[in-house]
Amino acid sequence: MDKKNIVCTSSILGEDMHVIAYGKKGLPVVVFPTQGQAPESLEEVGVIDELADYLDSGTIQLFCTETVDDETWGGTGDAAERAKRQETYYHYVVDELVPLVAKMSKSKARPLALGFDAGATQASVVALRRPDLFQGCVCLSGCYDARRYFGDWMDATLYDNTPVAFLSQMPVDHPYVAVYNQRQLLFCTGQEASEADALRSTREMGEQFARLGVDVWCDYWGADVTHTWFWWKKQLRYFLPIVLDDVEKTTAAEKPAPAKKRATTTRKKATTAAAKKPAATKAAAAEKKPAAKKAATAKAAAEKTVASKPAVKPGAAKKTTAAARPAAAKKPAATKAATPAKVEKAATPAKAVKAEVPAKAVKAEVPAKAVKAAAPAKATKAEVPAKAVKAAAPAKATKAEVPAKAVKAAAPAKATKAATPAKATSAKKPAATKAAAAKKPAATKAKSTK
């Protein structure tokens, strides 16, 4: 078992205080010996051996401190000076000893306060006045009423060191009430005659805690249980595993680390989903508009063909028209792109004749371009068969530079026929008649336009 002797020079008390540490790690426990006894007395009476398994396993670490009971509870001097010295000892514990324990134990855990007899009184005072610093207290056979040591005398300083006094005046809505319910508070006493003061004050403590609504453990052992180490070691052995288990559960509930981890994981998942979403959206967008991409590709190919072969042969024109027909047949809505605006621009024969530039005329007359540029996907919107037929009659512009055969090959009226329902059939005849009638006077019109 690891044991360390520490001398703490207390600036508050103005003297050196002896502290003995037992164990290497575990929950820190500050131990107050019986009235007027040295820290090593706990080892002498067998308390350290009784807790050897807890110390060797690293479950707890004991810090047994020296007291000034001979100047306070057990003193015979002026009552006010004794009360003042007790208050000074309290500040030594909370302001100097607790930081020392934290440093020695290398733990951020709040220590338990453990005491026997007058040591139990000290443990109750520090734990109840500073529940923010202590995880709780295990008080065996303590007297929590200063009248045992001071009689009927009381001042404000002694009041602060008398648990039954300040608890009786504590309002039920005091902030400490909620904190007490998150701490392990244990008060035990026997009922034999030597335990009279401990029994009376422990019952008073239980009544005040019940009034405040604090879940505290006040335990009363049998009438044969005396004010001795024999029983205190038995009580300690009985209560310690229960208290330690409760401490573990309480402190585990206080830790916010698991919640932070879950929140981080959720944020990571959300970020990953957000990162994946644009890709999915792009893919969906790409799937939604395959026809537009194909049409654009076909259009670019057609433009390249026209640029490389300005003089289109009749045979080549037939091939282009034949290639266009299956696409139009598969998707009857192929005439959508034949919006009136686009058709009118492409079919301006007057401008084509005035310019008399063959290259421009070819560009304007390419029927495949006119049909393919019409994005087949949205064909149903433009259900205007008559205008579509007019748009497909660039024969007048063609006649100015290509023989009649070229006009026949480029007649997109046939493609329109496959793409349009019954209405398109009725409109087809006038278009054909106009095309046939335009064979001979086309040249005349072109000349007159000049």
Side-chain angles (χ1 to χ4, degrees):
M1 182 188 303
D2 189 71
K3 175 182 176 181
K4 289 186 179 119
N5 287 289
I6 306 161
V7 176
C8 171
T9 302
S10 171
S11 59
I12 295 175
L13 289 172
E15 60 181 275
D16 291 341
M17 298 297 287
H18 184 202
V19 179
I20 302 177
Y22 296 94
K24 289 184 177 179
K25 62 178 182 178
L27 179 69
V29 180
V30 177
V31 186
F32 300 91
T34 56
Q35 182 178 332
Q37 296 300 307
E40 54 267 24
S41 64
L42 295 168
E43 187 175 351
E44 293 168 359
V45 296
V47 172
I48 305 303
D49 289 338
E50 193 70 35
L51 302 177
D53 52 340
Y54 288 96
L55 294 168
D56 292 337
S57 64
T59 305
I60 62 173
Q61 189 175 13
L62 299 180
F63 293 87
C64 304
T65 183
E66 194 174 0
T67 67
V68 290
D69 291 342
D70 291 340
E71 304 173 51
T72 58
W73 306 125
T76 56
D78 180 70
E81 289 298 322
R82 289 164 56 203
K84 185 178 177 181
R85 189 63 173 169
Q86 169 56 34
E87 180 69 10
T88 305
Y89 182 77
Y90 158 77
H91 283 289
Y92 151 74
V93 174
V94 298
D95 297 335
E96 293 181 338
L97 182 59
V98 170
L100 175 66
V101 168
K103 182 180 178 180
M104 294 294 297
S105 65
K106 298 178 182 178
S107 171
K108 294 181 180 179
R110 290 181 293 265
L112 274 175
L114 169 64
F116 314 88
D117 184 55
T121 308
Q122 300 287 14
S124 67
V125 170
V126 296
L128 294 177
R129 289 181 65 179
R130 293 300 301 271
D132 56 319
L133 293 181
F134 286 87
Q135 183 58 41
C137 61
V138 176
C139 303
L140 305 179
S141 299
C143 182
Y144 315 105
D145 187 351
R147 286 180 294 181
R148 175 183 178 183
Y149 308 103
F150 286 83
D152 293 332
W153 184 89
M154 176 74 70
D155 70 352
T157 304
L158 187 59
Y159 168 87
D160 289 337
N161 289 274
T162 307
V164 294
F166 63 71
L167 283 178
S168 66
Q169 300 301 315
M170 182 177 286
V172 292
D173 58 349
H174 194 283
Y176 276 5
V177 172
V179 183
Y180 288 161
N181 278 312
Q182 298 300 317
R183 300 292 181 264
Q184 286 64 52
L185 305 175
L186 169 64
F187 302 88
C188 178
T189 181
Q191 300 186 57
E192 195 265 339
S194 59
E195 294 277 64
D197 288 328
L199 180 60
R200 175 182 57 80
S201 59
T202 299
R203 282 177 175 161
E204 288 184 28
M205 294 281 283
E207 291 172 2
Q208 293 304 324
F209 280 123
R211 179 186 65 82
L212 293 170
V214 176
D215 185 15
V216 67
W217 191 358
C218 290
D219 208 32
Y220 307 93
W221 285 32
D224 59 333
V225 177
T226 58
H227 194 83
T228 59
W229 280 111
F230 173 81
W231 289 107
W232 294 336
K233 286 189 286 185
K234 284 184 176 294
Q235 291 166 357
L236 187 58
R237 193 73 198 180
Y238 173 77
F239 290 121
L240 191 57
I242 302 171
V243 172
L244 292 177
D245 184 60
D246 198 21
V247 169
E248 186 178 355
K249 290 178 182 177
T250 305
T251 52
E254 292 177 357
K255 294 178 182 177
K260 283 185 178 179
K261 285 180 182 178
R262 286 194 294 273
T264 305
T265 305
T266 306
R267 284 196 295 273
K268 283 182 181 178
K269 288 181 180 177
T271 306
T272 306
K276 289 181 180 178
K277 197 171 183 180
T281 309
K282 287 180 182 178
E287 289 176 2
K288 285 182 181 178
K289 299 182 179 179
K293 285 186 178 180
K294 287 181 182 178
T297 307
K299 181 179 178 181
E303 288 176 353
K304 286 181 181 179
T305 306
V306 173
S308 60
K309 298 179 181 180
V312 182
K313 293 181 181 181
K318 285 180 182 178
K319 285 181 182 179
T320 306
T321 308
R325 282 177 186 174
K330 284 181 182 178
K331 297 185 181 178
T335 11
K336 182 262 166 180
T339 43
K342 289 184 179 179
V343 174
E344 287 173 8
K345 287 180 182 179
T348 22
K351 289 183 181 179
V353 175
K354 283 180 182 180
E356 293 184 354
V357 183
K360 289 185 179 179
V362 172
K363 286 183 180 178
E365 69 170 345
V366 180
K369 178 182 176 182
V371 176
K372 287 183 179 180
K378 299 180 182 177
T380 35
K381 287 187 180 179
E383 296 180 356
V384 191
K387 288 184 180 180
V389 174
K390 286 180 183 180
K396 293 179 182 181
T398 307
K399 265 192 169 184
E401 77 168 325
V402 190
K405 287 183 179 179
V407 177
K408 288 180 182 179
K414 291 181 180 181
T416 309
K417 180 182 178 182
T420 5
K423 289 183 181 180
T425 309
S426 60
K428 178 178 122 179
K429 290 182 180 180
T433 308
K434 285 181 183 180
K439 288 181 182 180
K440 292 180 181 181
T444 312
K445 284 184 181 180
K447 290 177 183 179
S448 60
T449 307
K450 288 180 181 179

